[in-house]
PDB file of all heavy atoms in Angstrom:
ATOM      1  N   THR A  39       4.411 -20.971  -9.221  1.00 97.00           N
ATOM      2  CA  THR A  39       3.385 -20.524  -8.282  1.00 97.00           C
ATOM      3  C   THR A  39       4.042 -19.634  -7.238  1.00 97.00           C
ATOM      4  O   THR A  39       5.030 -20.024  -6.617  1.00 97.00           O
ATOM      5  CB  THR A  39       2.710 -21.719  -7.588  1.00 97.00           C
ATOM      6  OG1 THR A  39       2.029 -22.509  -8.571  1.00 97.00           O
ATOM      7  CG2 THR A  39       1.702 -21.244  -6.547  1.00 97.00           C
ATOM      8  N   VAL A  40       3.508 -18.448  -7.076  1.00 98.00           N
ATOM      9  CA  VAL A  40       4.065 -17.467  -6.143  1.00 98.00           C
ATOM     10  C   VAL A  40       3.006 -17.091  -5.121  1.00 98.00           C
ATOM     11  O   VAL A  40       1.861 -16.815  -5.478  1.00 98.00           O
ATOM     12  CB  VAL A  40       4.541 -16.203  -6.890  1.00 98.00           C
ATOM     13  CG1 VAL A  40       5.001 -15.133  -5.906  1.00 98.00           C
ATOM     14  CG2 VAL A  40       5.661 -16.548  -7.867  1.00 98.00           C
ATOM     15  N   LYS A  41       3.376 -17.102  -3.847  1.00 98.00           N
ATOM     16  CA  LYS A  41       2.468 -16.706  -2.771  1.00 98.00           C
ATOM     17  C   LYS A  41       2.703 -15.234  -2.434  1.00 98.00           C
ATOM     18  O   LYS A  41       3.819 -14.833  -2.113  1.00 98.00           O
ATOM     19  CB  LYS A  41       2.704 -17.573  -1.531  1.00 98.00           C
ATOM     20  CG  LYS A  41       2.439 -19.062  -1.756  1.00 98.00           C
ATOM     21  CD  LYS A  41       2.733 -19.856  -0.490  1.00 98.00           C
ATOM     22  CE  LYS A  41       2.594 -21.359  -0.734  1.00 98.00           C
ATOM     23  NZ  LYS A  41       1.216 -21.739  -1.064  1.00 98.00           N
ATOM     24  N   LEU A  42       1.625 -14.440  -2.506  1.00 98.00           N
ATOM     25  CA  LEU A  42       1.729 -13.004  -2.277  1.00 98.00           C
ATOM     26  C   LEU A  42       0.671 -12.579  -1.260  1.00 98.00           C
ATOM     27  O   LEU A  42      -0.524 -12.731  -1.505  1.00 98.00           O
ATOM     28  CB  LEU A  42       1.534 -12.250  -3.600  1.00 98.00           C
ATOM     29  CG  LEU A  42       1.915 -10.768  -3.681  1.00 98.00           C
ATOM     30  CD1 LEU A  42       2.058 -10.325  -5.137  1.00 98.00           C
ATOM     31  CD2 LEU A  42       0.917  -9.860  -2.979  1.00 98.00           C
ATOM     32  N   MET A  43       1.119 -12.075  -0.119  1.00 97.00           N
ATOM     33  CA  MET A  43       0.188 -11.575   0.904  1.00 97.00           C
ATOM     34  C   MET A  43       0.111 -10.060   0.820  1.00 97.00           C
ATOM     35  O   MET A  43       1.129  -9.379   0.694  1.00 97.00           O
ATOM     36  CB  MET A  43       0.638 -11.974   2.311  1.00 97.00           C
ATOM     37  CG  MET A  43      -0.336 -11.487   3.399  1.00 97.00           C
ATOM     38  SD  MET A  43       0.220 -11.844   5.094  1.00 97.00           S
ATOM     39  CE  MET A  43      -0.187 -13.589   5.210  1.00 97.00           C
ATOM     40  N   VAL A  44      -1.100  -9.523   0.885  1.00 96.00           N
ATOM     41  CA  VAL A  44      -1.344  -8.089   0.767  1.00 96.00           C
ATOM     42  C   VAL A  44      -1.769  -7.510   2.119  1.00 96.00           C
ATOM     43  O   VAL A  44      -2.509  -8.143   2.870  1.00 96.00           O
ATOM     44  CB  VAL A  44      -2.438  -7.815  -0.292  1.00 96.00           C
ATOM     45  CG1 VAL A  44      -2.636  -6.317  -0.476  1.00 96.00           C
ATOM     46  CG2 VAL A  44      -2.075  -8.475  -1.619  1.00 96.00           C
ATOM     47  N   GLY A  45      -1.322  -6.310   2.388  1.00 91.00           N
ATOM     48  CA  GLY A  45      -1.643  -5.662   3.657  1.00 91.00           C
ATOM     49  C   GLY A  45      -3.022  -5.035   3.689  1.00 91.00           C
ATOM     50  O   GLY A  45      -3.169  -3.854   4.019  1.00 91.00           O
ATOM     51  N   GLY A  46      -4.059  -5.805   3.347  1.00 89.00           N
ATOM     52  CA  GLY A  46      -5.427  -5.296   3.327  1.00 89.00           C
ATOM     53  C   GLY A  46      -5.935  -5.273   1.900  1.00 89.00           C
ATOM     54  O   GLY A  46      -6.042  -4.222   1.273  1.00 89.00           O
ATOM     55  N   ILE A  47      -6.222  -6.444   1.366  1.00 93.00           N
ATOM     56  CA  ILE A  47      -6.460  -6.595  -0.074  1.00 93.00           C
ATOM     57  C   ILE A  47      -7.711  -5.869  -0.567  1.00 93.00           C
ATOM     58  O   ILE A  47      -7.837  -5.573  -1.751  1.00 93.00           O
ATOM     59  CB  ILE A  47      -6.514  -8.090  -0.436  1.00 93.00           C
ATOM     60  CG1 ILE A  47      -6.245  -8.298  -1.930  1.00 93.00           C
ATOM     61  CG2 ILE A  47      -7.835  -8.712   0.012  1.00 93.00           C
ATOM     62  CD1 ILE A  47      -5.992  -9.753  -2.306  1.00 93.00           C
ATOM     63  N   ASP A  48      -8.645  -5.543   0.338  1.00 91.00           N
ATOM     64  CA  ASP A  48      -9.875  -4.865  -0.077  1.00 91.00           C
ATOM     65  C   ASP A  48      -9.739  -3.350  -0.124  1.00 91.00           C
ATOM     66  O   ASP A  48     -10.657  -2.655  -0.549  1.00 91.00           O
ATOM     67  CB  ASP A  48     -11.020  -5.242   0.868  1.00 91.00           C
ATOM     68  CG  ASP A  48     -10.778  -4.747   2.282  1.00 91.00           C
ATOM     69  OD1 ASP A  48      -9.633  -4.848   2.765  1.00 91.00           O
ATOM     70  OD2 ASP A  48     -11.734  -4.254   2.918  1.00 91.00           O
ATOM     71  N   LYS A  49      -8.606  -2.811   0.311  1.00 89.00           N
ATOM     72  CA  LYS A  49      -8.406  -1.365   0.335  1.00 89.00           C
ATOM     73  C   LYS A  49      -8.091  -0.846  -1.068  1.00 89.00           C
ATOM     74  O   LYS A  49      -7.397  -1.493  -1.846  1.00 89.00           O
ATOM     75  CB  LYS A  49      -7.259  -0.991   1.276  1.00 89.00           C
ATOM     76  CG  LYS A  49      -7.438  -1.495   2.702  1.00 89.00           C
ATOM     77  CD  LYS A  49      -8.746  -1.041   3.313  1.00 89.00           C
ATOM     78  CE  LYS A  49      -8.921  -1.565   4.720  1.00 89.00           C
ATOM     79  NZ  LYS A  49     -10.261  -1.268   5.257  1.00 89.00           N
ATOM     80  N   GLN A  50      -8.576   0.346  -1.368  1.00 92.00           N
ATOM     81  CA  GLN A  50      -8.318   0.911  -2.694  1.00 92.00           C
ATOM     82  C   GLN A  50      -6.833   1.066  -2.983  1.00 92.00           C
ATOM     83  O   GLN A  50      -6.404   0.886  -4.123  1.00 92.00           O
ATOM     84  CB  GLN A  50      -9.024   2.263  -2.844  1.00 92.00           C
ATOM     85  CG  GLN A  50     -10.478   2.144  -3.245  1.00 92.00           C
ATOM     86  CD  GLN A  50     -11.081   3.457  -3.703  1.00 92.00           C
ATOM     87  OE1 GLN A  50     -10.394   4.465  -3.882  1.00 92.00           O
ATOM     88  NE2 GLN A  50     -12.385   3.460  -3.904  1.00 92.00           N
ATOM     89  N   ILE A  51      -6.046   1.394  -1.979  1.00 93.00           N
ATOM     90  CA  ILE A  51      -4.616   1.582  -2.221  1.00 93.00           C
ATOM     91  C   ILE A  51      -3.940   0.296  -2.684  1.00 93.00           C
ATOM     92  O   ILE A  51      -2.874   0.334  -3.281  1.00 93.00           O
ATOM     93  CB  ILE A  51      -3.889   2.132  -0.977  1.00 93.00           C
ATOM     94  CG1 ILE A  51      -3.988   1.155   0.206  1.00 93.00           C
ATOM     95  CG2 ILE A  51      -4.394   3.508  -0.613  1.00 93.00           C
ATOM     96  CD1 ILE A  51      -3.100   1.540   1.383  1.00 93.00           C
ATOM     97  N   TYR A  52      -4.566  -0.845  -2.392  1.00 95.00           N
ATOM     98  CA  TYR A  52      -3.977  -2.136  -2.741  1.00 95.00           C
ATOM     99  C   TYR A  52      -4.767  -2.879  -3.820  1.00 95.00           C
ATOM    100  O   TYR A  52      -4.611  -4.083  -3.995  1.00 95.00           O
ATOM    101  CB  TYR A  52      -3.890  -3.012  -1.489  1.00 95.00           C
ATOM    102  CG  TYR A  52      -2.856  -2.560  -0.477  1.00 95.00           C
ATOM    103  CD1 TYR A  52      -3.131  -2.584   0.891  1.00 95.00           C
ATOM    104  CD2 TYR A  52      -1.599  -2.123  -0.883  1.00 95.00           C
ATOM    105  CE1 TYR A  52      -2.183  -2.187   1.826  1.00 95.00           C
ATOM    106  CE2 TYR A  52      -0.648  -1.719   0.043  1.00 95.00           C
ATOM    107  CZ  TYR A  52      -0.944  -1.754   1.395  1.00 95.00           C
ATOM    108  OH  TYR A  52      -0.007  -1.355   2.313  1.00 95.00           O
ATOM    109  N   LEU A  53      -5.609  -2.177  -4.566  1.00 97.00           N
ATOM    110  CA  LEU A  53      -6.464  -2.857  -5.533  1.00 97.00           C
ATOM    111  C   LEU A  53      -5.735  -3.517  -6.706  1.00 97.00           C
ATOM    112  O   LEU A  53      -6.263  -4.464  -7.310  1.00 97.00           O
ATOM    113  CB  LEU A  53      -7.552  -1.905  -6.039  1.00 97.00           C
ATOM    114  CG  LEU A  53      -7.196  -0.740  -6.975  1.00 97.00           C
ATOM    115  CD1 LEU A  53      -7.082  -1.151  -8.428  1.00 97.00           C
ATOM    116  CD2 LEU A  53      -8.236   0.381  -6.853  1.00 97.00           C
ATOM    117  N   PRO A  54      -4.527  -3.068  -7.117  1.00 98.00           N
ATOM    118  CA  PRO A  54      -3.903  -3.677  -8.300  1.00 98.00           C
ATOM    119  C   PRO A  54      -3.634  -5.172  -8.188  1.00 98.00           C
ATOM    120  O   PRO A  54      -3.694  -5.886  -9.208  1.00 98.00           O
ATOM    121  CB  PRO A  54      -2.580  -2.904  -8.446  1.00 98.00           C
ATOM    122  CG  PRO A  54      -2.875  -1.559  -7.866  1.00 98.00           C
ATOM    123  CD  PRO A  54      -3.758  -1.874  -6.678  1.00 98.00           C
ATOM    124  N   TYR A  55      -3.350  -5.686  -6.990  1.00 98.00           N
ATOM    125  CA  TYR A  55      -3.010  -7.100  -6.845  1.00 98.00           C
ATOM    126  C   TYR A  55      -4.192  -7.989  -7.238  1.00 98.00           C
ATOM    127  O   TYR A  55      -4.031  -8.939  -8.011  1.00 98.00           O
ATOM    128  CB  TYR A  55      -2.587  -7.407  -5.404  1.00 98.00           C
ATOM    129  CG  TYR A  55      -1.564  -6.451  -4.846  1.00 98.00           C
ATOM    130  CD1 TYR A  55      -1.937  -5.412  -3.997  1.00 98.00           C
ATOM    131  CD2 TYR A  55      -0.218  -6.584  -5.177  1.00 98.00           C
ATOM    132  CE1 TYR A  55      -1.005  -4.522  -3.493  1.00 98.00           C
ATOM    133  CE2 TYR A  55       0.722  -5.696  -4.666  1.00 98.00           C
ATOM    134  CZ  TYR A  55       0.321  -4.660  -3.834  1.00 98.00           C
ATOM    135  OH  TYR A  55       1.246  -3.772  -3.346  1.00 98.00           O
ATOM    136  N   GLN A  56      -5.370  -7.682  -6.711  1.00 98.00           N
ATOM    137  CA  GLN A  56      -6.564  -8.458  -7.040  1.00 98.00           C
ATOM    138  C   GLN A  56      -7.040  -8.162  -8.460  1.00 98.00           C
ATOM    139  O   GLN A  56      -7.500  -9.055  -9.169  1.00 98.00           O
ATOM    140  CB  GLN A  56      -7.686  -8.153  -6.051  1.00 98.00           C
ATOM    141  CG  GLN A  56      -8.946  -9.004  -6.256  1.00 98.00           C
ATOM    142  CD  GLN A  56      -8.710 -10.472  -5.956  1.00 98.00           C
ATOM    143  OE1 GLN A  56      -8.222 -10.821  -4.880  1.00 98.00           O
ATOM    144  NE2 GLN A  56      -9.043 -11.339  -6.910  1.00 98.00           N
ATOM    145  N   LEU A  57      -6.904  -6.916  -8.894  1.00 98.00           N
ATOM    146  CA  LEU A  57      -7.320  -6.547 -10.243  1.00 98.00           C
ATOM    147  C   LEU A  57      -6.528  -7.335 -11.278  1.00 98.00           C
ATOM    148  O   LEU A  57      -7.097  -7.807 -12.275  1.00 98.00           O
ATOM    149  CB  LEU A  57      -7.133  -5.045 -10.459  1.00 98.00           C
ATOM    150  CG  LEU A  57      -7.575  -4.500 -11.823  1.00 98.00           C
ATOM    151  CD1 LEU A  57      -9.063  -4.743 -12.055  1.00 98.00           C
ATOM    152  CD2 LEU A  57      -7.248  -3.002 -11.928  1.00 98.00           C
ATOM    153  N   ALA A  58      -5.233  -7.496 -11.058  1.00 98.00           N
ATOM    154  CA  ALA A  58      -4.404  -8.273 -11.982  1.00 98.00           C
ATOM    155  C   ALA A  58      -4.915  -9.703 -12.096  1.00 98.00           C
ATOM    156  O   ALA A  58      -4.929 -10.291 -13.188  1.00 98.00           O
ATOM    157  CB  ALA A  58      -2.953  -8.274 -11.515  1.00 98.00           C
ATOM    158  N   GLN A  59      -5.358 -10.251 -10.974  1.00 98.00           N
ATOM    159  CA  GLN A  59      -5.910 -11.602 -10.969  1.00 98.00           C
ATOM    160  C   GLN A  59      -7.211 -11.656 -11.771  1.00 98.00           C
ATOM    161  O   GLN A  59      -7.412 -12.536 -12.614  1.00 98.00           O
ATOM    162  CB  GLN A  59      -6.179 -12.035  -9.517  1.00 98.00           C
ATOM    163  CG  GLN A  59      -6.544 -13.496  -9.329  1.00 98.00           C
ATOM    164  CD  GLN A  59      -5.327 -14.388  -9.287  1.00 98.00           C
ATOM    165  OE1 GLN A  59      -4.770 -14.719 -10.328  1.00 98.00           O
ATOM    166  NE2 GLN A  59      -4.906 -14.778  -8.095  1.00 98.00           N
ATOM    167  N   ASN A  60      -8.085 -10.695 -11.511  1.00 98.00           N
ATOM    168  CA  ASN A  60      -9.389 -10.699 -12.159  1.00 98.00           C
ATOM    169  C   ASN A  60      -9.320 -10.392 -13.646  1.00 98.00           C
ATOM    170  O   ASN A  60     -10.189 -10.816 -14.414  1.00 98.00           O
ATOM    171  CB  ASN A  60     -10.322  -9.709 -11.464  1.00 98.00           C
ATOM    172  CG  ASN A  60     -10.735 -10.173 -10.076  1.00 98.00           C
ATOM    173  OD1 ASN A  60     -10.154 -11.101  -9.533  1.00 98.00           O
ATOM    174  ND2 ASN A  60     -11.725  -9.537  -9.498  1.00 98.00           N
ATOM    175  N   LEU A  61      -8.302  -9.658 -14.057  1.00 98.00           N
ATOM    176  CA  LEU A  61      -8.106  -9.369 -15.475  1.00 98.00           C
ATOM    177  C   LEU A  61      -7.438 -10.530 -16.212  1.00 98.00           C
ATOM    178  O   LEU A  61      -7.331 -10.516 -17.435  1.00 98.00           O
ATOM    179  CB  LEU A  61      -7.248  -8.102 -15.649  1.00 98.00           C
ATOM    180  CG  LEU A  61      -7.894  -6.775 -15.254  1.00 98.00           C
ATOM    181  CD1 LEU A  61      -6.864  -5.648 -15.304  1.00 98.00           C
ATOM    182  CD2 LEU A  61      -9.075  -6.444 -16.156  1.00 98.00           C
ATOM    183  N   GLY A  62      -6.971 -11.503 -15.449  1.00 98.00           N
ATOM    184  CA  GLY A  62      -6.312 -12.656 -16.051  1.00 98.00           C
ATOM    185  C   GLY A  62      -4.867 -12.398 -16.443  1.00 98.00           C
ATOM    186  O   GLY A  62      -4.275 -13.171 -17.210  1.00 98.00           O
ATOM    187  N   PHE A  63      -4.281 -11.346 -15.876  1.00 98.00           N
ATOM    188  CA  PHE A  63      -2.919 -10.971 -16.281  1.00 98.00           C
ATOM    189  C   PHE A  63      -1.837 -11.894 -15.709  1.00 98.00           C
ATOM    190  O   PHE A  63      -0.814 -12.120 -16.348  1.00 98.00           O
ATOM    191  CB  PHE A  63      -2.631  -9.521 -15.910  1.00 98.00           C
ATOM    192  CG  PHE A  63      -3.304  -8.519 -16.819  1.00 98.00           C
ATOM    193  CD1 PHE A  63      -3.315  -7.168 -16.499  1.00 98.00           C
ATOM    194  CD2 PHE A  63      -3.918  -8.914 -17.993  1.00 98.00           C
ATOM    195  CE1 PHE A  63      -3.922  -6.232 -17.327  1.00 98.00           C
ATOM    196  CE2 PHE A  63      -4.539  -7.998 -18.837  1.00 98.00           C
ATOM    197  CZ  PHE A  63      -4.535  -6.653 -18.500  1.00 98.00           C
ATOM    198  N   TYR A  64      -2.030 -12.402 -14.500  1.00 98.00           N
ATOM    199  CA  TYR A  64      -1.025 -13.333 -13.974  1.00 98.00           C
ATOM    200  C   TYR A  64      -0.954 -14.556 -14.894  1.00 98.00           C
ATOM    201  O   TYR A  64       0.133 -15.000 -15.282  1.00 98.00           O
ATOM    202  CB  TYR A  64      -1.375 -13.778 -12.550  1.00 98.00           C
ATOM    203  CG  TYR A  64      -1.327 -12.678 -11.510  1.00 98.00           C
ATOM    204  CD1 TYR A  64      -2.407 -12.478 -10.634  1.00 98.00           C
ATOM    205  CD2 TYR A  64      -0.219 -11.849 -11.369  1.00 98.00           C
ATOM    206  CE1 TYR A  64      -2.372 -11.486  -9.665  1.00 98.00           C
ATOM    207  CE2 TYR A  64      -0.175 -10.856 -10.410  1.00 98.00           C
ATOM    208  CZ  TYR A  64      -1.266 -10.673  -9.558  1.00 98.00           C
ATOM    209  OH  TYR A  64      -1.228  -9.680  -8.604  1.00 98.00           O
ATOM    210  N   LYS A  65      -2.100 -15.071 -15.238  1.00 98.00           N
ATOM    211  CA  LYS A  65      -2.157 -16.240 -16.135  1.00 98.00           C
ATOM    212  C   LYS A  65      -1.571 -15.900 -17.491  1.00 98.00           C
ATOM    213  O   LYS A  65      -0.799 -16.684 -18.069  1.00 98.00           O
ATOM    214  CB  LYS A  65      -3.605 -16.700 -16.288  1.00 98.00           C
ATOM    215  CG  LYS A  65      -3.765 -17.945 -17.159  1.00 98.00           C
ATOM    216  CD  LYS A  65      -5.224 -18.388 -17.217  1.00 98.00           C
ATOM    217  CE  LYS A  65      -5.366 -19.639 -18.075  1.00 98.00           C
ATOM    218  NZ  LYS A  65      -6.797 -20.090 -18.141  1.00 98.00           N
ATOM    219  N   LYS A  66      -1.903 -14.727 -18.013  1.00 98.00           N
ATOM    220  CA  LYS A  66      -1.395 -14.302 -19.328  1.00 98.00           C
ATOM    221  C   LYS A  66       0.121 -14.285 -19.367  1.00 98.00           C
ATOM    222  O   LYS A  66       0.734 -14.668 -20.379  1.00 98.00           O
ATOM    223  CB  LYS A  66      -1.941 -12.911 -19.658  1.00 98.00           C
ATOM    224  CG  LYS A  66      -1.385 -12.326 -20.962  1.00 98.00           C
ATOM    225  CD  LYS A  66      -1.918 -10.926 -21.208  1.00 98.00           C
ATOM    226  CE  LYS A  66      -1.296 -10.325 -22.466  1.00 98.00           C
ATOM    227  NZ  LYS A  66      -1.803  -8.948 -22.735  1.00 98.00           N
ATOM    228  N   TYR A  67       0.728 -13.840 -18.281  1.00 98.00           N
ATOM    229  CA  TYR A  67       2.190 -13.710 -18.263  1.00 98.00           C
ATOM    230  C   TYR A  67       2.892 -14.930 -17.668  1.00 98.00           C
ATOM    231  O   TYR A  67       4.088 -14.890 -17.396  1.00 98.00           O
ATOM    232  CB  TYR A  67       2.591 -12.423 -17.548  1.00 98.00           C
ATOM    233  CG  TYR A  67       2.243 -11.195 -18.374  1.00 98.00           C
ATOM    234  CD1 TYR A  67       1.078 -10.479 -18.131  1.00 98.00           C
ATOM    235  CD2 TYR A  67       3.056 -10.789 -19.425  1.00 98.00           C
ATOM    236  CE1 TYR A  67       0.732  -9.382 -18.907  1.00 98.00           C
ATOM    237  CE2 TYR A  67       2.727  -9.695 -20.212  1.00 98.00           C
ATOM    238  CZ  TYR A  67       1.561  -8.993 -19.951  1.00 98.00           C
ATOM    239  OH  TYR A  67       1.226  -7.907 -20.734  1.00 98.00           O
ATOM    240  N   GLY A  68       2.144 -16.010 -17.468  1.00 98.00           N
ATOM    241  CA  GLY A  68       2.765 -17.289 -17.142  1.00 98.00           C
ATOM    242  C   GLY A  68       3.117 -17.537 -15.698  1.00 98.00           C
ATOM    243  O   GLY A  68       4.109 -18.222 -15.416  1.00 98.00           O
ATOM    244  N   VAL A  69       2.316 -17.008 -14.758  1.00 98.00           N
ATOM    245  CA  VAL A  69       2.593 -17.257 -13.350  1.00 98.00           C
ATOM    246  C   VAL A  69       1.269 -17.444 -12.605  1.00 98.00           C
ATOM    247  O   VAL A  69       0.268 -16.795 -12.918  1.00 98.00           O
ATOM    248  CB  VAL A  69       3.392 -16.086 -12.718  1.00 98.00           C
ATOM    249  CG1 VAL A  69       2.630 -14.776 -12.800  1.00 98.00           C
ATOM    250  CG2 VAL A  69       3.804 -16.397 -11.291  1.00 98.00           C
ATOM    251  N   LYS A  70       1.254 -18.357 -11.658  1.00 98.00           N
ATOM    252  CA  LYS A  70       0.095 -18.549 -10.802  1.00 98.00           C
ATOM    253  C   LYS A  70       0.377 -17.830  -9.486  1.00 98.00           C
ATOM    254  O   LYS A  70       1.318 -18.178  -8.765  1.00 98.00           O
ATOM    255  CB  LYS A  70      -0.153 -20.031 -10.529  1.00 98.00           C
ATOM    256  CG  LYS A  70      -1.348 -20.284  -9.624  1.00 98.00           C
ATOM    257  CD  LYS A  70      -1.550 -21.767  -9.358  1.00 98.00           C
ATOM    258  CE  LYS A  70      -2.734 -21.993  -8.425  1.00 98.00           C
ATOM    259  NZ  LYS A  70      -2.909 -23.453  -8.108  1.00 98.00           N
TER     260      LYS A  70
END
Side-chain angles (χ1 to χ4, degrees):
T39 297
V40 175
K41 298 178 185 295
L42 194 163
M43 181 184 282
V44 183
I47 201 168
D48 65 318
K49 304 305 179 187
Q50 277 193 9
I51 62 171
Y52 289 139
L53 71 82
Y55 311 100
Q56 184 67 53
L57 182 61
Q59 189 82 280
N60 290 13
L61 290 172
F63 285 170
Y64 294 130
K65 182 177 181 180
K66 176 182 177 180
Y67 289 98
V69 60
K70 179 181 179 182

